[in-house]
Amino acid sequence: MGRAPSYLELSLFSVMWSEHCGYKNSRPLLKRFPNQGRRVLQGPGENAGVVEIGDGWALAFKMESHNHPSAVEPYEGAATGVGGIIRDILAMGARPVALLDSLRFGPLSEERNRYLFREVVRGVGGYGNAVGVPTVGGEVEFADAYSGNPLVNAMCIGLIRVDDLMRSSASGEGNLVVLLGSKTGRDGIHGATFASDELTEESESKRSNVQVGDPFCEKMLIECCLKLLGEGMLVSLQDLGAAGLTSSASEMAASGGVGIEIETDRVPLREGGMEPWEVMISESQERMLAVVEPDKAEAVLKMAERYELVGAVVGRVADHGDLRVIHEGEVVGTVPAGYLADAPVYEREVVRPTYLDEIPSLSPEDLPQPENYNEVLLKMLSHSNLCSRRSIYGQYDHEVGTDTVVPPGADAAVMRIKGTKLGFAAAADGRGRHCYLDPRGGGAATVVEAYRNLSCLGAEPVAATDCLNFGSPEKPDGYYQLAECIQGMAQACEAFGTPVVSGNVSLFNETDRGAIYPTPTVGMVGVLKDVNRHSTPAFKREGDMVVVIGKGWRSSLAGSEYLEVVQARIAGRPPEPDLTAEKEYSDLVRRLVADGLIDTAHDISSGGEAVALAEMVLAGGLGVEYERVKAGLLADGHGGRRTDMALFGENGASFLVAVPEERWDELQKALGGVPHDSIARVGGDGIKIGNLIDVGLDDLREAYERDLFETHAPEGGHIG
Amino acid sequence: MPETLKIRVLVRPKAGILDPQGEAVRSALPALGFGGVKTVHVGRLIELEVESTDDVDAMCRRLLSNPSIEEYEWEVVS
Amino acid sequence: MPETLKIRVLVRPKAGILDPQGEAVRSALPALGFGGVKTVHVGRLIELEVESTDDVDAMCRRLLSNPSIEEYEWEVVS
Amino acid sequence: MGGRLLRIGVTVFPGSNCDRDALYVVGRMGAEAVELWHADPDLKSVDAVIVPGGFSYGDYLRPGAIARFARVMGPLEEFAKEGGPVLGVCNGFQVLTEAHLLPGALLRNTHMRFVCDRVRVRVETTSTPWTAALSPGEELTLPVAHNEGNFFAEPGTLSCLEDEGRVVLRYLENPNGSANDVAGVCNEGRNVVGVMPHPERVSDPALGSDEGLRLLRSVLVGAGV
Ligand SMILES: Nc1ncnc2c1ncn2[C@@H]1O[C@H](COP(=O)(O)OP(=O)(O)O)[C@@H](O)[C@H]1O
Ligand SMILES: [Mg+2]
């Protein structure tokens, strides 16, 4: 800018250019994601992506990480993560209607991990429940790699009329800039820069600037903003996130090609003696910034009052392209808004890490074959990565709004849209171990998992959002994992026609115990033309035939759940996802549901065929029995392979569906040349697989329906 | 059996940290006909009966308060 | 402007009334290696700055505590 | 009131979040939904009032503690004393106990967790405007979603509630530690009912059940509509 920046200007740059805001390392790589599509109304670049879903309706959605804040203060970290993503959706003008959370923790054998897990779940619920947006799905996994560095990714979906879409770009010289919501305090000063540091002993002491969420204020903010938008009182709207006023104002100005002047002494403050730079970068929660025509300002402030919110005119839109900070009538800082919005980018060389070649390859021959498969199945079902998530989503209000058609517990959640036949489905997935063993394949498999989960419900996947949780990109391994996972995800999204319309990056997820598994998480939404035509994994009728569709029997133990849980090994390279088959079979299953031919479907994923069958039994409370003949077939692993591989091996591109016998011919016709096999029948009071497995429903339940939390855990506190 | 001590622990939000409860109560008071209240802060009161005070401070740090957002004080009341 | 008084209000569950929070804390203590804690009760601490103490008792009765399940005490601390 | 469309008011406090659900369901009941804003001391001549669930004033201090002082509560208390049908759902139940329109209080769930689930309850009395259309002893499956649903009343009060048949709904599986498995109660006049479960969430076959709608429509029967 041709002169030495002042301290205030420096702090603006430092917060804006930190990874958290500027995507220094990831921006060039993100270009690989497809982001176009016939349904896309808004791709990356706005507060959230938006896709059209029919009848004049659109969905705005985005996923965001709050990993570091949650590692330091789990309850508030998770809560403010939820609050933040809700405001991104609100900024598009949409009413937030669904939340999902994607979580990672170290093993629950460690007290600190139990504490983080408990308080994060409480934080997600504490905020989401109070603000009245149902938490309808998510996922959670436990692994050593996340000890001390939990992952907390929150996704929000908003519903909006296509015509009512809002944008954040400021316009109209002389228009006023209004700050709505709560007062500004010293919350998270330098939090934005902190969020991209590695966690160290020292960062533990940064606690004093922890941000505390106020879901009550957020609820008022949602209703107030939607009312203002409904009455056409706003020119543009933007949430305040990392870097507070600085990023919001500069982004609004830059995208509108105008300037914005902020008078810091007009900002309502919570504490005295705040410096202008503190006001500019404060990350106080529950605030939105709006551009308003002068003659509407008074009405806007009145509305804020009606909703018990603080509202104040804090600046104006100017024709110069600068973000100007004014204090007591004096300009104390001037920065071209574009400078702030466009941080410099780094491109790095991609070098294959040596660890990938050191991962022991898997030769099943030297794996001992289990004696007792009943025990193996129960051990799998009770494992913290496979057991029921009820003890988590039972703490989340997943029904408020009265639109939840398929609640948590199925492969994805299904929501209706009142006054239409339309519905949408949403799922969040991540595959950290797979991405560690094979970054590119794992990246693709992450997208595949979400695509499959939506298809199981009968929804047509239309677009995705993502959260890229990685270690340090300044280390070759970290950068390789980032680049390769993105490549794999991009290929899958390309193949599936599901553009990535929004996302978020969280790098430097490392502690003195090392880096996390590379863990991109994907949130995908799908459309149901008739929301009543959906399926669930639950068996519904005695006597139904159970059919495996796809590659069920060509499964592998490499990097599988079975290998880790039962054989205590993390080895091998999981099979390369077959994108063509995944799409073909997913689309087929979806058509079967849409045509009303099947109402029972589940994908074969972690834990393989036996676990998938057990999940369907547990969901429906009806047993299943392998027909004797076929059991033999399976006992030698669907054609000469190991039994454990046949039961618990993973591969993907495979589903289990159930139909009444009288529709079997119809189904076979519909399946045409697609590999399938009628393997079992719904009936009995447990799971029976030939002479291999025979476990009663009660034992299945006891193993699966585990409470992942200590009973009567006290609130808050800081344990460990 | 050893006679016990009654301990009173007061936990309150750290200075500068947002206190949504206190704020909500304060802004509600005038409507309820209670004027002249300048500030309100809401915290926790914990009362313990213990055999010795040795562990009390550790309990406050590790379980009864959340040092990242709260401060505490404790005293023997009897 | 009138100088203000600092009031401290303590609200606790009435004797005999179930106190899930206190119970949760008590049952968590041993696991953390804290023995010898006989009873734990969790209540609320409310700190007010007021211009006069006239209304304080009414506030406690009508808003800050629920007399059917809680008891309160208040004092001027400065 | 004959054939006239019943007007049912739904109070909206800051932080209420089931108000829109309630307004929607009133429409499905075949009644006219009227929003009652907390700051307006006016019931807009409605025939019945639903105090919906949510987190009025963030549940700060105690659930319902602040909301009960809202301006709309004055006329609402009058309406209740004159025998007008009032239903408090979840946070609405909490508000009505804080306002002393219903006995007892709702304490923290004993297991210290928010609970969102569907639970079986038994209809203990049909002599209230909100259960008149159900059959005594009938079992319903209703959603619950709360942190403080643990009903408490002094032993004397509790036995009096039992003796006078003022326990309206009883849990068949107790989700929160509630005394005598109480899920809902009514006042002495039986016109004010509070329930922790959310009937409005099961008022639509599209959501798997409309048992809640049957409960809510009782008030129309009572009103002879
Ligand atoms: N953290 C969570 N929050 C809410 N719902 C969750 C969470 N974790 C899992 N679930 C729900 O539990 C069910 C099973 O989750 P998961 O095993 O990840 O499904 P899948 O294997 O089909 O992806 C899903 O309905 C999911 O939405
Ligand atoms: Mg699945």
Side-chain angles (χ1 to χ4, degrees):
Chain A
M1 31 193 275
R3 65 178 169 80
S6 71
Y7 179 74
L8 177 132
E9 292 165 348
L10 275 178
S11 26
L12 304 194
F13 279 110
S14 100
V15 292
M16 285 300 289
W17 284 11
S18 69
E19 176 63 43
H20 192 107
C21 311
Y23 295 94
K24 275 185 294 205
N25 293 286
S26 47
R27 181 112 56 80
L29 299 172
L30 295 176
K31 291 206 194 81
R32 298 184 188 172
F33 286 136
N35 53 32
Q36 299 302 314
R38 68 182 169 86
R39 291 178 179 272
V40 177
L41 299 178
Q42 177 63 59
E46 263 292 347
N47 288 297
V50 183
V51 292
E52 189 165 9
I53 58 170
D55 290 9
W57 289 101
L59 296 175
F61 62 98
K62 183 173 193 276
M63 177 144 64
E64 196 154 76
S65 70
H66 233 213
N67 303 336
H68 291 73
S70 304
V72 172
E73 168 38 44
Y75 183 98
E76 297 299 340
T80 52
V82 170
I85 193 62
I86 287 176
R87 289 191 297 280
D88 273 316
I89 300 313
L90 181 59
M92 302 308 297
R95 172 174 286 275
V97 293
L99 289 164
L100 294 88
D101 62 337
S102 182
L103 311 175
R104 295 293 182 281
F105 302 92
L108 291 175
S109 50
E110 275 179 50
E111 181 182 54
R112 174 77 184 170
N113 294 333
R114 285 200 299 275
Y115 160 71
L116 290 171
F117 173 50
R118 185 187 82 221
E119 291 302 312
V120 162
V121 168
R122 269 190 176 148
V124 171
Y127 204 99
N129 297 345
V131 82
V133 180
T135 302
V136 299
E139 50 132 26
V140 61
E141 253 170 37
F142 305 89
D144 287 319
Y146 305 106
S147 275
N149 196 135
L151 301 185
V152 177
N153 296 177
M155 174 178 174
C156 184
I157 304 171
L159 186 62
I160 183 173
R161 298 295 300 168
V162 171
D163 308 333
D164 297 345
L165 256 188
M166 192 61 185
R167 295 294 198 299
S168 64
S169 53
S171 64
E173 186 196 355
N175 280 344
L176 300 177
V177 177
V178 175
L179 183 60
L180 294 167
S182 62
K183 290 182 184 159
T184 298
R186 286 200 175 82
D187 312 77
I189 297 269
H190 284 151
T193 40
F194 155 56
S196 299
D197 299 343
E198 288 180 30
L199 286 178
T200 60
E201 287 307 317
E202 181 253 344
S203 71
E204 293 273 313
S205 67
K206 294 188 181 181
R207 281 207 191 106
S208 52
N209 62 15
V210 165
Q211 307 154 42
V212 172
D214 181 358
F216 169 58
C217 180
E218 180 107 335
K219 171 65 173 170
M220 296 290 93
L221 196 53
I222 293 172
E223 299 305 329
C224 180
C225 289
L226 290 176
K227 192 108 169 101
L228 289 169
L229 290 160
E231 299 183 3
M233 299 221 261
L234 307 183
V235 175
S236 57
L237 184 63
Q238 163 83 349
D239 63 298
L240 279 78
L245 268 172
T246 304
S247 60
S248 307
S250 55
E251 281 162 23
M252 287 179 104
S255 62
V258 295
I260 283 185
E261 298 177 347
I262 299 288
E263 297 182 51
T264 52
D265 34 13
R266 285 204 187 188
V267 175
L269 300 179
R270 201 168 73 228
E271 9 178 2
M274 284 179 69
E275 298 289 323
W277 68 269
E278 291 181 301
V279 175
M280 287 305 294
I281 70 171
S282 158
E283 296 187 348
S284 291
Q285 302 291 301
E286 291 90 25
R287 297 180 300 163
M288 301 286 287
L289 202 59
V291 172
V292 176
E293 288 161 8
D295 59 338
K296 295 208 174 95
E298 200 185 330
V300 169
L301 297 184
K302 270 216 153 37
M303 188 69 76
E305 214 172 285
R306 174 178 165 89
Y307 287 95
E308 330 231 319
L309 296 170
V310 175
V313 174
V314 298
R316 55 182 290 277
V317 177
D319 57 356
H320 57 65
D322 300 340
L323 171 63
R324 275 191 199 157
V325 182
I326 298 169
H327 184 65
E328 289 163 356
E330 305 254 317
V331 176
V332 291
T334 301
V335 186
Y339 273 40
L340 288 174
D342 302 308
V345 297
Y346 307 156
E347 295 239 26
R348 291 192 164 79
E349 190 192 0
V350 180
V351 199
R352 179 180 164 86
T354 49
Y355 86 83
L356 285 171
D357 306 311
E358 291 154 4
I359 292 170
S361 67
L362 181 71
S363 35
E365 306 74 61
D366 38 59
L367 284 180
Q369 284 255 26
E371 301 287 303
N372 179 334
Y373 280 103
N374 289 344
E375 280 169 17
V376 174
L377 177 63
L378 291 172
K379 182 168 187 183
M380 298 276 287
L381 288 175
S382 64
H383 188 270
S384 56
N385 283 343
L386 290 173
C387 71
S388 168
R389 270 56 185 129
R390 183 181 302 277
S391 59
I392 300 172
Y393 60 74
Q395 296 182 56
Y396 299 158
D397 187 341
H398 42 76
E399 294 195 288
V400 61
T402 60
D403 290 323
T404 310
V405 175
V406 176
D411 291 301
V414 174
M415 308 290 293
R416 70 166 173 185
I417 297 171
K418 287 191 182 88
T420 75
K421 285 181 74 180
L422 275 178
F424 68 89
D429 287 289
R431 297 184 59 93
R433 182 182 56 222
H434 192 162
C435 290
Y436 170 77
L437 293 171
D438 173 12
R440 187 176 296 205
T446 306
V447 176
V448 163
E449 179 85 27
Y451 192 84
R452 244 195 275 128
N453 280 329
L454 292 184
S455 303
C456 283
L457 274 291
E460 178 196 355
V462 294
T465 181
D466 71 290
C467 212
L468 300 171
N469 307 279
F470 288 83
S472 168
E474 286 160 5
K475 300 177 183 167
D477 289 13
Y479 194 72
Y480 177 89
Q481 293 172 333
L482 179 64
E484 284 294 288
C485 281
I486 288 177
Q487 191 59 36
M489 294 164 76
Q491 283 167 358
C493 287
E494 202 61 68
F496 294 164
T498 50
V500 175
V501 294
S502 61
N504 167 256
V505 179
S506 169
L507 304 179
F508 302 95
N509 288 286
E510 309 203 351
T511 66
D512 22 37
R513 293 163 80 162
I516 59 164
Y517 279 155
T519 314
T521 54
V522 166
M524 205 178 269
V525 298
V527 178
L528 295 97
K529 288 200 179 56
D530 177 354
V531 70
N532 296 319
R533 283 271 177 99
H534 63 262
S535 59
T536 67
F539 285 135
K540 297 176 183 62
R541 292 159 300 266
E542 295 266 343
D544 271 14
M545 297 176 78
V546 180
V547 181
V548 61
I549 297 174
K551 301 184 151 190
W553 48 87
R554 263 175 265 138
S555 53
S556 148
L557 293 181
S560 68
E561 210 68 36
Y562 167 83
L563 197 62
E564 179 170 355
V565 174
V566 177
Q567 304 276 358
R569 291 186 57 186
I570 296 177
R573 198 159 181 274
E576 193 76 29
D578 177 343
L579 297 179
T580 319
E582 293 284 2
K583 181 164 178 20
E584 184 186 349
Y585 305 161
S586 292
D587 296 355
L588 173 67
V589 167
R590 180 192 327 131
R591 274 200 307 280
L592 297 175
V593 177
D595 296 347
L597 185 51
I598 57 171
D599 61 4
T600 307
H602 188 29
D603 66 323
I604 297 178
S605 181
S606 306
E609 192 171 304
V611 167
L613 269 173
E615 288 171 343
M616 298 173 84
V617 166
L618 283 154
L622 293 174
V624 70
E625 290 182 3
Y626 252 87
E627 285 156 3
R628 248 161 238 83
V629 243
K630 301 279 165 64
L633 215 178
L634 178 123
D636 61 36
H638 281 313
R641 302 275 268 325
R642 300 166 55 106
T643 303
D644 54 359
M645 196 180 293
L647 289 172
F648 304 108
E650 299 168 23
N651 178 344
S654 36
F655 299 82
L656 291 167
V657 305
V659 281
E661 185 154 19
E662 59 270 24
R663 305 199 71 172
W664 169 229
D665 295 342
E666 214 180 324
L667 178 62
Q668 267 179 312
K669 257 190 230 74
L671 290 172
V674 172
H676 64 273
D677 182 9
S678 144
I679 58 169
R681 230 173 237 288
V682 177
D685 62 352
I687 178 168
K688 229 170 177 322
I689 300 182
N691 52 0
L692 295 169
I693 291 182
D694 184 355
V695 183
L697 199 48
D698 295 344
D699 294 342
L700 289 177
R701 284 213 181 93
E702 188 184 329
Y704 182 72
E705 291 293 341
R706 262 183 62 207
D707 185 346
L708 286 162
F709 302 85
E710 313 96 320
T711 39
H712 297 272
E715 210 121 56
H718 162 78
I719 300 171
Chain B
M1 72 148 241
E3 40 84 40
T4 60
L5 301 161
K6 230 170 151 300
I7 309 289
R8 167 178 305 164
V9 183
L10 301 183
V11 180
R12 56 174 73 81
K14 272 188 181 170
I17 283 244
L18 177 68
D19 173 15
Q21 287 208 75
E23 188 49 31
V25 176
R26 194 196 54 71
S27 52
L29 283 168
L32 318 188
F34 300 121
V37 180
K38 293 265 157 301
T39 67
V40 179
H41 286 293
V42 179
R44 283 198 306 286
L45 159 71
I46 301 125
E47 293 177 317
L48 311 165
E49 281 182 312
V50 296
E51 286 168 5
S52 103
T53 58
D54 302 351
D55 288 345
V56 173
D57 206 69
M59 283 183 217
C60 292
R61 261 196 336 275
R62 296 192 56 211
L63 182 63
L64 304 181
S65 82
N66 180 346
S68 56
I69 51 179
E70 296 170 327
E71 64 179 34
Y72 65 87
E73 68 188 67
W74 64 273
E75 60 177 337
V76 181
V77 287
S78 71
Chain C
M1 69 151 237
E3 42 86 39
T4 60
L5 300 160
K6 228 169 153 300
I7 308 288
R8 167 179 304 163
V9 181
L10 302 182
V11 179
R12 59 174 72 82
K14 268 191 188 166
I17 285 197
L18 172 82
D19 172 16
Q21 303 198 54
E23 190 42 40
V25 174
R26 201 188 53 72
S27 55
L29 287 166
L32 300 175
F34 298 124
V37 179
K38 295 262 157 303
T39 65
V40 181
H41 288 295
V42 177
R44 241 178 346 266
L45 160 71
I46 301 140
E47 293 176 316
L48 312 165
E49 280 181 312
V50 298
E51 285 168 3
S52 102
T53 58
D54 303 352
D55 288 346
V56 174
D57 206 68
M59 270 188 242
C60 292
R61 234 181 16 259
R62 299 189 50 214
L63 176 68
L64 303 181
S65 79
N66 177 346
S68 59
I69 50 172
E70 296 167 331
E71 64 186 31
Y72 67 87
E73 66 189 72
W74 65 273
E75 59 177 336
V76 180
V77 286
S78 70
Chain D
M1 27 194 110
R4 177 171 69 86
L5 189 62
L6 211 65
R7 288 166 55 83
I8 298 182
V10 174
T11 56
V12 181
F13 300 106
S16 297
N17 65 28
C18 304
D19 48 328
R20 299 171 67 247
D21 301 353
L23 289 162
Y24 176 76
V25 162
V26 168
R28 286 186 53 79
M29 288 165 63
E32 179 188 352
V34 181
E35 181 177 309
L36 302 174
W37 185 249
H38 66 96
D40 307 336
D42 173 10
L43 288 197
K44 305 188 175 160
S45 59
V46 294
D47 305 293
V49 176
I50 296 176
V51 185
F55 287 65
S56 59
Y57 291 93
D59 273 4
Y60 295 142
L61 213 51
R62 294 181 313 280
I66 303 178
R68 65 96 24 131
F69 290 101
R71 284 202 206 81
V72 73
M73 289 303 287
L76 178 62
E77 284 164 32
E78 282 311 305
F79 181 77
K81 293 205 173 74
E82 290 158 10
V86 178
L87 176 68
V89 174
C90 199
N91 185 243
F93 187 5
Q94 294 162 338
V95 172
L96 294 177
T97 56
E98 283 282 340
H100 308 301
L101 290 172
L102 287 173
L106 292 139
L107 306 178
R108 194 62 194 276
N109 300 345
T110 40
H111 49 62
M112 290 289 291
R113 291 191 207 168
F114 187 95
V115 54
C116 179
D117 202 351
R118 292 194 175 193
V119 297
R120 280 166 54 248
V121 300
R122 189 173 56 231
V123 178
E124 297 289 63
T125 173
T126 55
S127 61
T128 83
W130 300 98
T131 51
L134 304 170
S135 3
E138 178 175 1
E139 291 182 8
L140 307 174
T141 299
L142 300 177
V144 290
H146 57 252
N147 242 323
E148 285 95 355
N150 179 355
F151 182 81
F152 165 86
E154 298 289 345
T157 316
L158 196 57
S159 50
C160 151
L161 287 175
E162 295 287 3
D163 299 344
E164 298 174 4
R166 287 164 54 190
V167 174
V168 177
L169 297 180
R170 202 185 300 275
Y171 297 115
L172 295 171
E173 57 253 317
N174 189 329
N176 53 33
S178 183
N180 290 18
D181 302 323
V182 167
V185 299
C186 68
N187 66 342
E188 240 178 311
R190 311 192 75 86
N191 59 307
V192 180
V193 172
V195 296
M196 284 316 292
H198 286 270
E200 80 281 5
R201 295 185 180 189
V202 276
S203 295
D204 202 330
L207 303 182
S209 157
D210 59 3
E211 291 188 330
L213 189 61
R214 285 179 45 231
L215 181 149
L216 293 166
R217 287 187 60 88
S218 297
V219 74
L220 308 186
V221 178
V225 172

